[in-house]
Amino acid sequence: MKLIIAAIKPFKLEEVREALTGIGVRGMMVTEIKGFGSQSGHTEIYRGAEYAVNFVPKVKLEIVVAASMADQVVETISTTAKTDKIGDGKIFVMDVGQAVRVRTGETNEDAL
């Protein structure tokens, strides 16, 4: 099993969710986050005062899938979330040692 963590632009969330559902992803966790990478924030003017916005709003997706499906999920997120502008996000893939469905006690891929 693989854990896929993706940080994407918030306005792309629904489009990415629909694309992932379309390829068979049955669940995900979504968290609103703030962060920075190469875009490293920007300045804004609010009520006449300029201030630095050091952290940019993002959405973090956490998805656990069978290892055989991981590449397809990464490709789907990459193509769907892409805007060709700085700050499109990042995707990380990690191994998952164990999964348990709390309600039934099913384990590993059966728990997904």
Side-chain angles (χ1 to χ4, degrees):
M1 294 175 299
K2 299 288 184 177
L3 169 62
I4 299 166
I5 300 174
I8 63 172
K9 291 182 175 182
F11 70 88
K12 284 292 198 171
L13 175 60
E14 191 58 29
E15 190 179 343
V16 169
R17 186 198 62 78
E18 288 174 6
L20 290 172
T21 301
I23 64 165
V25 172
R26 295 178 22 201
M28 70 181 73
M29 294 176 278
V30 178
T31 311
E32 292 181 5
I33 61 171
K34 292 182 180 183
F36 72 92
S38 56
Q39 81 189 105
S40 68
H42 60 281
T43 58
E44 288 185 3
I45 297 177
Y46 179 72
R47 293 189 176 181
E50 187 174 313
Y51 65 100
V53 178
N54 294 319
F55 295 98
V56 180
K58 300 284 181 191
V59 174
K60 179 171 77 169
L61 308 177
E62 295 174 88
I63 306 159
V64 179
V65 296
S68 61
M69 197 175 176
D71 289 340
Q72 185 181 15
V73 170
V74 169
E75 181 63 26
T76 300
I77 295 169
S78 295
T79 56
T80 309
K82 186 176 182 176
T83 66
D84 286 323
K85 295 192 168 84
I86 193 166
D88 273 352
K90 295 269 192 310
I91 301 171
F92 305 99
V93 180
M94 293 169 267
D95 291 325
V96 173
Q98 181 180 12
V100 177
R101 185 185 308 262
V102 174
R103 178 176 56 87
T104 62
E106 293 170 295
T107 59
N108 300 326
E109 288 191 21
D110 292 335
L112 302 179

XYZ file of all heavy atoms in Angstrom:
845
model
N 0.846 -1.186 0.000
C 0.000 0.000 0.000
C 0.881 1.235 0.000
O 1.999 1.195 0.506
C -0.893 0.016 1.234
C -1.919 -1.087 1.291
S -2.837 -1.074 2.843
C -1.527 -1.340 4.018
N 0.345 2.306 -0.562
C 1.071 3.566 -0.641
C 0.218 4.695 -0.079
O -0.994 4.742 -0.304
C 1.431 3.910 -2.088
C 2.322 2.894 -2.777
C 3.728 2.937 -2.241
C 4.619 1.972 -3.021
N 5.994 2.044 -2.566
N 0.863 5.605 0.633
C 0.236 6.844 1.093
C 0.682 7.942 0.147
O 1.885 8.169 -0.026
C 0.667 7.184 2.524
C 0.299 8.580 3.026
C -1.208 8.781 3.065
C 0.910 8.835 4.400
N -0.265 8.608 -0.463
C 0.029 9.705 -1.371
C -0.424 10.988 -0.698
O -1.590 11.122 -0.319
C -0.685 9.505 -2.721
C -0.182 8.201 -3.358
C -0.456 10.706 -3.633
C -1.017 7.715 -4.504
N 0.508 11.906 -0.526
C 0.214 13.221 0.062
C 0.425 14.253 -1.024
O 1.500 14.317 -1.627
C 1.128 13.517 1.267
C 0.929 12.460 2.350
C 0.854 14.920 1.804
C 1.891 12.587 3.507
N -0.604 15.044 -1.283
C -0.513 16.065 -2.326
C -0.943 17.405 -1.750
O -1.960 17.497 -1.069
C -1.405 15.696 -3.507
N -0.158 18.436 -2.023
C -0.532 19.812 -1.682
C -0.880 20.495 -2.998
O -0.043 20.556 -3.912
C 0.617 20.528 -0.985
N -2.118 20.979 -3.107
C -2.588 21.577 -4.351
C -3.256 22.915 -4.079
O -3.546 23.253 -2.932
C -3.572 20.641 -5.096
C -4.832 20.405 -4.264
C -2.891 19.330 -5.458
C -5.932 19.663 -5.003
N -3.535 23.653 -5.147
C -4.258 24.912 -5.014
C -5.712 24.619 -4.632
O -6.326 23.693 -5.181
C -4.198 25.694 -6.328
C -2.804 26.210 -6.632
C -2.776 27.016 -7.910
C -1.387 27.621 -8.103
N -1.308 28.449 -9.309
N -6.268 25.392 -3.697
C -7.619 25.099 -3.198
C -8.700 25.045 -4.270
O -9.593 24.204 -4.208
C -7.887 26.240 -2.204
C -6.530 26.675 -1.759
C -5.638 26.484 -2.958
N -8.623 25.890 -5.283
C -9.688 25.914 -6.285
C -9.663 24.687 -7.195
O -10.608 24.446 -7.949
C -9.653 27.201 -7.117
C -8.496 27.320 -8.061
C -8.574 26.812 -9.347
C -7.328 27.965 -7.667
C -7.507 26.925 -10.222
C -6.256 28.094 -8.546
C -6.356 27.571 -9.824
N -8.616 23.875 -7.103
C -8.513 22.650 -7.896
C -9.068 21.418 -7.163
O -9.151 20.339 -7.739
C -7.057 22.383 -8.279
C -6.545 23.275 -9.384
C -7.249 22.934 -10.673
C -6.533 23.437 -11.885
N -7.148 22.907 -13.125
N -9.459 21.573 -5.907
C -9.857 20.426 -5.088
C -10.997 19.631 -5.704
O -10.905 18.414 -5.827
C -10.246 20.885 -3.675
C -10.795 19.785 -2.768
C -9.780 18.665 -2.565
C -11.233 20.377 -1.439
N -12.086 20.267 -6.072
C -13.247 19.542 -6.577
C -12.936 18.815 -7.887
O -13.337 17.668 -8.087
C -14.429 20.484 -6.749
C -15.740 19.776 -7.010
C -16.147 18.781 -5.922
O -15.789 18.967 -4.742
O -16.821 17.794 -6.270
N -12.188 19.471 -8.754
C -11.801 18.853 -10.026
C -10.926 17.618 -9.792
O -11.111 16.567 -10.423
C -11.068 19.889 -10.875
C -10.815 19.496 -12.293
C -10.103 20.593 -13.090
O -10.085 21.767 -12.668
O -9.551 20.241 -14.146
N -9.982 17.723 -8.853
C -9.108 16.594 -8.527
C -9.918 15.475 -7.882
O -9.758 14.297 -8.212
C -7.943 17.044 -7.617
C -7.182 15.848 -7.059
C -6.998 17.963 -8.378
N -10.828 15.811 -6.979
C -11.667 14.798 -6.328
C -12.483 14.013 -7.359
O -12.547 12.789 -7.322
C -12.611 15.435 -5.309
C -13.391 14.387 -4.501
C -14.607 14.962 -3.806
N -15.583 15.488 -4.746
C -16.446 14.730 -5.454
N -16.433 13.420 -5.348
N -17.308 15.295 -6.278
N -13.085 14.731 -8.300
C -13.880 14.067 -9.339
C -13.014 13.142 -10.199
O -13.427 12.025 -10.527
C -14.580 15.102 -10.218
C -15.718 15.806 -9.522
C -16.325 16.931 -10.346
O -15.932 17.107 -11.527
O -17.190 17.646 -9.815
N -11.819 13.601 -10.558
C -10.914 12.783 -11.380
C -10.481 11.526 -10.626
O -10.427 10.433 -11.202
C -9.703 13.604 -11.810
N -10.183 11.660 -9.336
C -9.762 10.510 -8.543
C -10.906 9.519 -8.347
O -10.706 8.307 -8.425
C -9.210 10.962 -7.194
C -7.858 11.681 -7.252
C -7.505 12.265 -5.900
C -6.764 10.760 -7.750
N -12.101 10.025 -8.113
C -13.265 9.149 -7.996
C -13.473 8.389 -9.305
O -13.795 7.205 -9.307
C -14.521 9.976 -7.646
O -14.289 10.660 -6.410
C -15.742 9.081 -7.493
N -13.226 9.074 -10.423
C -13.375 8.461 -11.734
C -12.435 7.295 -12.001
O -12.752 6.406 -12.798
N -11.269 7.275 -11.347
C -10.335 6.157 -11.548
C -10.446 5.108 -10.442
O -9.666 4.163 -10.397
C -8.865 6.641 -11.680
C -8.369 7.303 -10.393
C -8.704 7.538 -12.890
C -6.864 7.468 -10.337
N -11.396 5.305 -9.528
C -11.650 4.271 -8.523
C -11.155 4.545 -7.125
O -11.223 3.657 -6.272
N -10.663 5.746 -6.845
C -10.248 6.081 -5.473
C -11.512 6.187 -4.629
O -12.445 6.916 -4.969
C -9.440 7.401 -5.443
C -9.192 7.845 -4.009
C -8.125 7.218 -6.173
N -11.552 5.452 -3.506
C -12.773 5.368 -2.715
C -12.770 6.257 -1.479
O -13.761 6.304 -0.753
C -13.007 3.928 -2.314
C -13.276 3.059 -3.544
C -13.470 1.604 -3.241
N -13.868 1.301 -1.883
C -13.705 0.127 -1.311
N -13.137 -0.842 -1.977
N -14.091 -0.089 -0.078
N -11.694 6.955 -1.215
C -11.676 7.827 -0.047
C -10.401 8.635 0.012
O -9.399 8.269 -0.592
N -10.483 9.744 0.726
C -9.307 10.586 0.927
C -9.551 11.479 2.129
O -10.696 11.685 2.522
C -8.995 11.422 -0.316
C -9.995 12.523 -0.601
S -9.615 13.465 -2.079
C -10.033 12.288 -3.334
N -8.487 11.994 2.693
C -8.575 12.992 3.754
C -8.117 14.314 3.167
O -7.152 14.358 2.404
C -7.694 12.592 4.946
C -8.187 11.325 5.624
S -7.105 10.783 6.946
C -5.852 9.911 6.004
N -8.814 15.386 3.522
C -8.508 16.710 2.993
C -8.328 17.667 4.169
O -9.136 17.694 5.089
C -9.652 17.216 2.082
C -9.354 18.610 1.570
C -9.890 16.258 0.932
N -7.257 18.446 4.121
C -6.954 19.421 5.161
C -6.588 20.743 4.514
O -5.840 20.767 3.537
C -5.749 18.950 6.017
O -5.950 17.608 6.428
C -5.561 19.831 7.229
N -7.131 21.836 5.044
C -6.702 23.157 4.583
C -5.392 23.493 5.280
O -5.291 23.389 6.503
C -7.759 24.211 4.914
C -9.032 24.029 4.121
C -10.095 25.078 4.426
O -9.800 26.022 5.195
O -11.196 24.941 3.905
N -4.390 23.856 4.502
C -3.068 24.143 5.059
C -2.554 25.463 4.510
O -3.133 26.039 3.584
C -2.054 23.017 4.736
C -1.871 22.855 3.217
C -2.486 21.710 5.380
C -0.733 21.925 2.818
N -1.452 25.928 5.059
C -0.716 27.067 4.518
C 0.738 26.649 4.406
O 1.233 25.887 5.222
C -0.828 28.287 5.431
C -2.211 28.869 5.482
C -2.241 30.093 6.368
C -3.642 30.665 6.392
N -3.694 31.892 7.171
N 1.420 27.150 3.392
C 2.819 26.803 3.233
C 3.479 27.669 2.187
O 2.860 28.583 1.648
N 4.731 27.394 1.937
C 5.427 28.088 0.866
C 6.496 27.187 0.306
O 6.986 26.289 0.978
C 6.023 29.429 1.321
C 7.213 29.297 2.219
C 8.490 29.291 1.685
C 7.063 29.175 3.580
C 9.601 29.166 2.500
C 8.153 29.054 4.410
C 9.427 29.047 3.872
N 6.807 27.422 -0.949
C 7.880 26.709 -1.621
C 8.664 27.729 -2.392
O 9.029 28.788 -1.865
N 8.851 27.490 -3.675
C 9.644 28.415 -4.470
C 8.954 29.755 -4.654
O 9.605 30.758 -4.899
C 9.965 27.797 -5.833
O 8.796 27.414 -6.502
N 7.617 29.791 -4.500
C 6.948 31.086 -4.654
C 7.149 31.961 -3.412
O 7.025 33.170 -3.485
C 5.477 30.902 -5.014
C 4.539 30.608 -3.883
C 3.152 30.224 -4.381
O 2.799 29.073 -4.339
N 2.389 31.169 -4.818
N 7.450 31.357 -2.291
C 7.821 32.004 -1.028
C 7.007 33.236 -0.658
O 7.526 34.205 -0.148
C 9.318 32.349 -1.018
O 9.619 33.366 -1.947
N 5.712 33.185 -0.884
C 4.838 34.262 -0.442
C 4.858 35.458 -1.375
O 5.478 35.454 -2.427
N 4.140 36.495 -0.958
C 4.043 37.723 -1.742
C 3.608 38.853 -0.831
O 3.346 38.643 0.347
C 3.049 37.526 -2.902
C 1.664 37.181 -2.451
N 1.308 35.915 -2.058
C 0.569 37.947 -2.311
C 0.035 35.912 -1.711
N -0.440 37.132 -1.845
N 3.540 40.065 -1.355
C 3.066 41.197 -0.553
C 1.680 41.608 -1.023
O 1.341 41.477 -2.201
C 4.023 42.409 -0.653
O 4.128 42.789 -2.016
C 5.387 42.068 -0.109
N 0.872 42.083 -0.082
C -0.461 42.574 -0.380
C -0.653 43.907 0.330
O 0.036 44.217 1.298
C -1.536 41.585 0.102
C -1.612 40.327 -0.728
C -2.767 39.422 -0.313
O -3.546 39.802 0.580
O -2.874 38.333 -0.894
N -1.617 44.663 -0.151
C -1.955 45.931 0.501
C -3.344 45.782 1.096
O -4.292 45.394 0.418
C -1.912 47.105 -0.504
C -0.488 47.262 -1.026
C -2.412 48.381 0.149
C -0.327 48.336 -2.083
N -3.457 46.049 2.398
C -4.721 45.951 3.105
C -4.931 47.244 3.878
O -4.100 47.631 4.692
C -4.712 44.742 4.047
C -5.975 44.586 4.845
C -7.157 44.174 4.231
C -6.001 44.869 6.201
C -8.312 44.033 4.950
C -7.158 44.731 6.937
C -8.321 44.307 6.311
O -9.472 44.178 7.034
N -6.022 47.945 3.578
C -6.339 49.227 4.204
C -5.163 50.193 4.139
O -4.810 50.859 5.110
C -6.794 49.022 5.648
C -8.112 48.291 5.733
C -8.664 48.282 7.123
N -9.979 47.656 7.128
C -10.717 47.524 8.194
N -10.279 47.958 9.366
N -11.891 46.956 8.116
N -4.515 50.205 2.993
C -3.438 51.154 2.747
C -2.075 50.733 3.256
O -1.083 51.392 2.992
N -2.004 49.643 3.993
C -0.721 49.184 4.529
C -0.267 47.947 3.765
O -1.049 47.040 3.506
C -0.846 48.860 6.011
N 1.001 47.937 3.398
C 1.559 46.781 2.700
C 2.089 45.794 3.724
O 2.728 46.171 4.701
C 2.696 47.241 1.779
C 3.223 46.130 0.902
C 4.244 46.629 -0.114
O 3.994 47.647 -0.775
O 5.287 45.974 -0.204
N 1.784 44.524 3.517
C 2.307 43.512 4.421
C 2.648 42.250 3.635
O 2.139 42.024 2.549
C 1.322 43.197 5.555
C 0.029 42.564 5.103
C -0.164 41.194 5.203
C -1.009 43.334 4.569
C -1.331 40.603 4.777
C -2.181 42.756 4.153
C -2.342 41.393 4.257
O -3.512 40.809 3.834
N 3.519 41.455 4.214
C 3.990 40.243 3.538
C 3.075 39.070 3.879
O 2.697 38.883 5.031
C 5.411 39.925 3.983
N 2.728 38.317 2.875
C 2.005 37.065 3.055
C 3.039 35.961 2.840
O 3.400 35.653 1.711
C 0.843 36.938 2.038
C 0.140 35.602 2.208
C -0.130 38.090 2.184
N 3.544 35.425 3.956
C 4.636 34.456 3.873
C 4.156 33.031 3.618
O 4.932 32.185 3.204
C 5.479 34.498 5.144
C 6.200 35.825 5.280
O 6.702 36.357 4.311
N 6.210 36.362 6.476
N 2.894 32.767 3.906
C 2.346 31.437 3.704
C 1.156 31.525 2.763
O 0.315 32.383 2.892
C 1.914 30.811 5.032
C 3.080 30.558 5.951
C 3.394 31.458 6.954
C 3.864 29.430 5.799
C 4.469 31.230 7.795
C 4.939 29.193 6.627
C 5.236 30.096 7.629
N 1.109 30.605 1.821
C 0.084 30.600 0.783
C -0.925 29.490 1.107
O -0.526 28.379 1.459
C 0.751 30.346 -0.587
C -0.277 30.328 -1.695
C 1.819 31.392 -0.856
N -2.227 29.773 0.984
C -3.225 28.729 1.257
C -3.112 27.582 0.253
O -2.966 27.808 -0.948
C -4.566 29.442 1.089
C -4.269 30.892 1.022
C -2.841 31.040 0.637
N -3.198 26.368 0.762
C -3.165 25.147 -0.052
C -4.164 24.165 0.545
O -4.679 24.362 1.643
C -1.776 24.494 -0.043
C -0.655 25.348 -0.578
C -0.685 25.435 -2.069
C 0.491 26.279 -2.556
N 0.374 26.612 -3.948
N -4.395 23.082 -0.173
C -5.191 21.972 0.327
C -4.311 20.737 0.294
O -3.632 20.478 -0.701
C -6.453 21.762 -0.538
C -7.195 20.514 -0.111
C -7.373 22.969 -0.448
N -4.297 19.987 1.396
C -3.511 18.754 1.461
C -4.448 17.562 1.328
O -5.426 17.445 2.069
C -2.736 18.663 2.777
C -1.919 17.370 2.894
C -0.986 17.377 4.080
C -1.717 17.125 5.363
N -0.807 16.859 6.492
N -4.150 16.689 0.371
C -4.883 15.442 0.187
C -4.026 14.302 0.718
O -2.817 14.265 0.463
C -5.161 15.178 -1.290
C -5.809 16.281 -2.104
C -5.930 15.848 -3.560
C -7.159 16.631 -1.544
N -4.638 13.389 1.445
C -3.955 12.180 1.901
C -4.783 10.995 1.428
O -5.962 10.885 1.759
C -3.820 12.173 3.419
C -2.923 13.292 3.930
C -2.899 13.379 5.441
O -2.059 12.696 6.045
O -3.731 14.112 5.993
N -4.165 10.145 0.624
C -4.872 9.042 -0.012
C -4.040 7.783 0.153
O -2.843 7.785 -0.160
C -5.057 9.327 -1.519
C -5.741 10.673 -1.730
C -5.836 8.206 -2.194
C -5.516 11.262 -3.110
N -4.663 6.713 0.643
C -3.978 5.414 0.735
C -4.601 4.496 -0.311
O -5.825 4.330 -0.350
C -4.095 4.807 2.145
C -3.397 3.449 2.196
C -3.490 5.743 3.184
N -3.750 3.949 -1.161
C -4.214 3.064 -2.237
C -3.299 1.841 -2.320
O -2.206 1.834 -1.767
C -4.227 3.785 -3.613
C -5.228 4.929 -3.612
C -2.846 4.265 -4.004
N -3.780 0.836 -3.043
C -2.934 -0.327 -3.335
C -1.712 0.150 -4.116
O -1.806 1.085 -4.921
C -3.721 -1.348 -4.150
N -0.582 -0.482 -3.883
C 0.666 -0.071 -4.543
C 0.521 -0.063 -6.062
O 1.082 0.799 -6.745
C 1.812 -0.975 -4.121
N -0.261 -0.981 -6.590
C -0.432 -1.072 -8.044
C -1.171 0.126 -8.631
O -1.090 0.392 -9.821
C -1.187 -2.357 -8.396
O -2.478 -2.338 -7.805
N -1.866 0.864 -7.787
C -2.667 2.004 -8.253
C -1.960 3.347 -8.039
O -2.400 4.377 -8.532
C -4.007 1.991 -7.511
C -5.082 2.810 -8.116
S -6.610 2.551 -7.184
C -7.617 3.728 -8.045
N -0.858 3.347 -7.314
C -0.205 4.601 -6.898
C 0.214 5.471 -8.077
O -0.025 6.682 -8.070
C 0.991 4.295 -6.005
N 0.842 4.892 -9.087
C 1.300 5.691 -10.227
C 0.140 6.362 -10.951
O 0.234 7.512 -11.367
C 2.102 4.832 -11.208
C 3.458 4.426 -10.663
O 3.949 5.086 -9.718
O 4.026 3.445 -11.172
N -0.973 5.654 -11.086
C -2.150 6.222 -11.746
C -2.730 7.379 -10.931
O -3.144 8.401 -11.486
C -3.209 5.137 -11.950
C -4.414 5.608 -12.741
C -5.461 4.518 -12.906
O -5.440 3.493 -12.224
N -6.401 4.753 -13.796
N -2.746 7.244 -9.616
C -3.255 8.311 -8.749
C -2.354 9.541 -8.850
O -2.841 10.668 -9.000
C -3.376 7.827 -7.285
C -3.664 8.981 -6.337
C -4.462 6.759 -7.178
N -1.044 9.334 -8.803
C -0.098 10.451 -8.921
C -0.274 11.165 -10.262
O -0.330 12.394 -10.328
C 1.357 9.973 -8.734
C 2.353 11.049 -9.126
C 1.582 9.529 -7.294
N -0.389 10.402 -11.332
C -0.573 10.984 -12.663
C -1.889 11.765 -12.753
O -1.940 12.863 -13.321
C -0.537 9.880 -13.726
C -0.698 10.388 -15.141
C 0.417 11.330 -15.598
O 1.545 11.237 -15.076
O 0.149 12.168 -16.478
N -2.944 11.232 -12.176
C -4.247 11.903 -12.200
C -4.197 13.220 -11.436
O -4.694 14.246 -11.915
C -5.335 10.982 -11.612
O -5.402 9.798 -12.408
C -6.693 11.663 -11.600
N -3.590 13.211 -10.257
C -3.459 14.450 -9.482
C -2.607 15.453 -10.247
O -2.967 16.631 -10.359
C -2.862 14.184 -8.083
C -3.805 13.322 -7.243
C -2.570 15.506 -7.363
C -3.181 12.795 -5.962
N -1.475 14.998 -10.779
C -0.557 15.888 -11.502
C -1.240 16.587 -12.661
O -1.128 17.806 -12.819
C 0.644 15.114 -12.043
O 1.418 14.609 -11.007
N -1.939 15.827 -13.483
C -2.542 16.427 -14.675
C -3.757 17.278 -14.335
O -3.982 18.313 -14.966
C -2.938 15.353 -15.709
O -3.818 14.415 -15.101
C -1.724 14.635 -16.242
N -4.516 16.890 -13.321
C -5.736 17.616 -12.980
C -5.442 18.906 -12.206
O -6.110 19.921 -12.406
C -6.679 16.726 -12.151
O -6.855 15.482 -12.820
C -8.039 17.381 -11.985
N -4.440 18.877 -11.326
C -4.135 20.044 -10.492
C -3.240 21.067 -11.195
O -3.078 22.182 -10.728
C -3.469 19.594 -9.194
N -2.679 20.698 -12.326
C -1.701 21.557 -13.013
C -2.359 22.792 -13.626
O -3.363 22.697 -14.321
C -1.017 20.739 -14.109
C 0.110 21.463 -14.798
C 0.789 20.535 -15.791
C 1.956 21.230 -16.445
N 2.690 20.335 -17.324
N -1.746 23.958 -13.360
C -2.182 25.214 -13.993
C -1.053 25.842 -14.796
O -1.241 26.883 -15.408
C -2.651 26.246 -12.943
O -1.533 26.649 -12.149
C -3.760 25.700 -12.058
N 0.131 25.244 -14.760
C 1.338 25.773 -15.405
C 1.805 27.081 -14.782
O 2.537 27.841 -15.414
C 1.145 25.957 -16.918
C 1.141 24.634 -17.657
O 1.912 23.738 -17.252
O 0.369 24.501 -18.626
N 1.400 27.347 -13.548
C 1.848 28.537 -12.827
C 2.565 28.096 -11.567
O 2.333 27.006 -11.045
C 0.662 29.441 -12.494
C -0.003 30.022 -13.734
C -0.966 31.114 -13.350
C -1.408 31.875 -14.560
N -2.494 31.315 -15.299
N 3.424 28.981 -11.063
C 4.157 28.674 -9.835
C 3.155 28.408 -8.704
O 2.093 29.019 -8.640
C 5.131 29.821 -9.488
C 6.114 29.371 -8.425
C 4.390 31.071 -9.083
C 7.300 30.298 -8.266
N 3.484 27.453 -7.848
C 2.622 27.136 -6.717
C 1.600 26.055 -6.998
O 0.650 25.888 -6.240
N 1.764 25.291 -8.074
C 0.811 24.220 -8.385
C 0.823 23.117 -7.328
O -0.163 22.423 -7.163
C 1.104 23.615 -9.757
C 0.426 24.363 -10.891
O -0.398 25.261 -10.611
O 0.711 24.050 -12.052
N 1.913 22.958 -6.605
C 1.930 21.999 -5.508
C 3.001 20.940 -5.626
O 3.879 20.989 -6.484
N 2.894 19.954 -4.738
C 3.844 18.843 -4.665
C 3.068 17.576 -4.350
O 1.998 17.616 -3.760
C 4.854 19.054 -3.538
C 5.793 20.231 -3.694
C 7.048 19.802 -4.396
C 8.152 20.808 -4.364
N 7.851 22.146 -4.737
N 3.656 16.429 -4.725
C 3.085 15.125 -4.406
C 4.193 14.256 -3.819
O 5.291 14.192 -4.367
C 2.493 14.441 -5.665
C 1.406 15.324 -6.292
C 1.941 13.064 -5.309
C 0.920 14.837 -7.640
N 3.887 13.600 -2.720
C 4.832 12.690 -2.069
C 4.183 11.311 -1.974
O 2.989 11.200 -1.712
C 5.184 13.180 -0.659
C 5.707 14.585 -0.640
C 4.874 15.639 -0.315
C 7.028 14.852 -0.957
C 5.358 16.942 -0.295
C 7.521 16.150 -0.944
C 6.679 17.193 -0.617
N 4.979 10.256 -2.165
C 4.475 8.883 -2.091
C 5.324 8.132 -1.069
O 6.552 8.140 -1.152
C 4.544 8.194 -3.464
C 4.007 6.768 -3.373
C 3.774 8.991 -4.513
N 4.632 7.470 -0.125
C 5.320 6.731 0.931
C 4.696 5.349 1.108
O 3.516 5.160 0.810
C 5.225 7.496 2.252
C 6.001 8.797 2.242
S 5.619 9.805 3.657
C 4.336 10.798 2.947
N 5.465 4.432 1.623
C 4.946 3.099 1.927
C 4.094 3.150 3.189
O 4.380 3.902 4.120
C 6.103 2.116 2.145
C 6.858 1.824 0.862
O 6.214 1.782 -0.201
O 8.094 1.645 0.929
N 3.058 2.310 3.210
C 2.201 2.159 4.387
C 2.401 0.745 4.918
O 2.246 -0.232 4.168
C 0.712 2.400 4.028
C -0.190 2.081 5.213
C 0.501 3.828 3.557
N 2.740 0.631 6.178
C 3.001 -0.674 6.770
C 1.747 -1.443 7.135
O 1.705 -2.668 7.034
N 0.698 -0.727 7.551
C -0.508 -1.418 7.996
C -1.687 -0.464 7.942
O -1.547 0.736 8.165
C -0.316 -1.916 9.433
C -1.500 -2.683 9.994
C -1.257 -3.155 11.410
O -0.303 -2.740 12.058
N -2.127 -4.017 11.904
N -2.862 -0.999 7.647
C -4.108 -0.235 7.700
C -5.154 -1.108 8.373
O -5.179 -2.321 8.177
C -4.564 0.151 6.295
N -6.035 -0.496 9.174
C -7.101 -1.223 9.863
C -8.387 -0.414 9.746
O -8.403 0.793 10.030
C -6.767 -1.437 11.361
C -7.920 -2.141 12.077
C -5.481 -2.211 11.525
N -9.461 -1.050 9.306
C -10.780 -0.403 9.318
C -11.346 -0.590 10.717
O -11.555 -1.724 11.169
C -11.708 -1.031 8.276
C -13.052 -0.315 8.171
C -13.997 -1.021 7.222
N -13.395 -1.271 5.928
C -13.574 -0.488 4.849
N -14.345 0.572 4.924
N -12.987 -0.811 3.711
N -11.612 0.491 11.415
C -12.032 0.437 12.813
C -13.358 -0.312 12.967
O -13.500 -1.154 13.858
C -12.141 1.864 13.397
C -12.714 1.836 14.796
C -10.778 2.546 13.382
N -14.316 -0.056 12.114
C -15.650 -0.645 12.246
C -15.639 -2.173 12.149
O -16.276 -2.856 12.933
C -16.591 -0.065 11.187
C -18.004 -0.655 11.209
C -18.917 0.025 10.190
N -18.397 -0.019 8.826
C -18.596 -1.012 7.960
N -19.301 -2.084 8.324
N -18.096 -0.962 6.743
N -14.892 -2.721 11.176
C -14.962 -4.161 10.909
C -13.716 -4.926 11.342
O -13.747 -6.154 11.385
C -15.154 -4.402 9.404
O -14.019 -3.886 8.705
C -16.431 -3.758 8.889
N -12.619 -4.231 11.566
C -11.371 -4.912 11.894
C -10.623 -5.399 10.672
O -9.579 -6.043 10.810
N -11.143 -5.144 9.460
C -10.429 -5.534 8.244
C -9.053 -4.878 8.231
O -8.902 -3.767 8.744
C -11.217 -5.103 6.999
C -12.527 -5.843 6.808
C -13.372 -5.208 5.719
O -13.800 -4.052 5.910
O -13.589 -5.876 4.702
N -8.092 -5.564 7.630
C -6.737 -5.019 7.633
C -6.190 -4.845 6.222
O -6.656 -5.461 5.266
C -5.783 -5.955 8.414
O -5.777 -7.244 7.805
C -6.206 -6.060 9.872
N -5.195 -3.994 6.148
C -4.425 -3.712 4.941
C -5.321 -3.377 3.754
O -6.197 -2.547 3.889
C -3.425 -4.835 4.686
C -2.470 -4.962 5.869
O -2.129 -3.965 6.481
N -2.078 -6.162 6.214
N -5.125 -3.992 2.576
C -5.895 -3.586 1.395
C -7.391 -3.808 1.557
O -8.191 -3.097 0.983
C -5.362 -4.263 0.129
C -4.025 -3.700 -0.292
C -3.586 -4.148 -1.686
O -4.450 -4.555 -2.480
O -2.386 -4.070 -1.946
N -7.797 -4.793 2.381
C -9.229 -4.992 2.649
C -9.813 -3.808 3.399
O -11.016 -3.549 3.324
C -9.454 -6.272 3.458
C -9.125 -7.525 2.672
O -9.177 -7.472 1.425
O -8.818 -8.559 3.303
N -8.984 -3.084 4.135
C -9.456 -1.942 4.907
C -9.620 -0.696 4.052
O -10.243 0.273 4.473
C -8.489 -1.645 6.057
N -9.068 -0.715 2.846
C -9.165 0.455 1.995
C -10.532 0.506 1.355
O -11.052 1.490 0.997
C -8.068 0.444 0.921
C -6.630 0.379 1.452
C -5.662 0.359 0.293
C -6.347 1.540 2.370
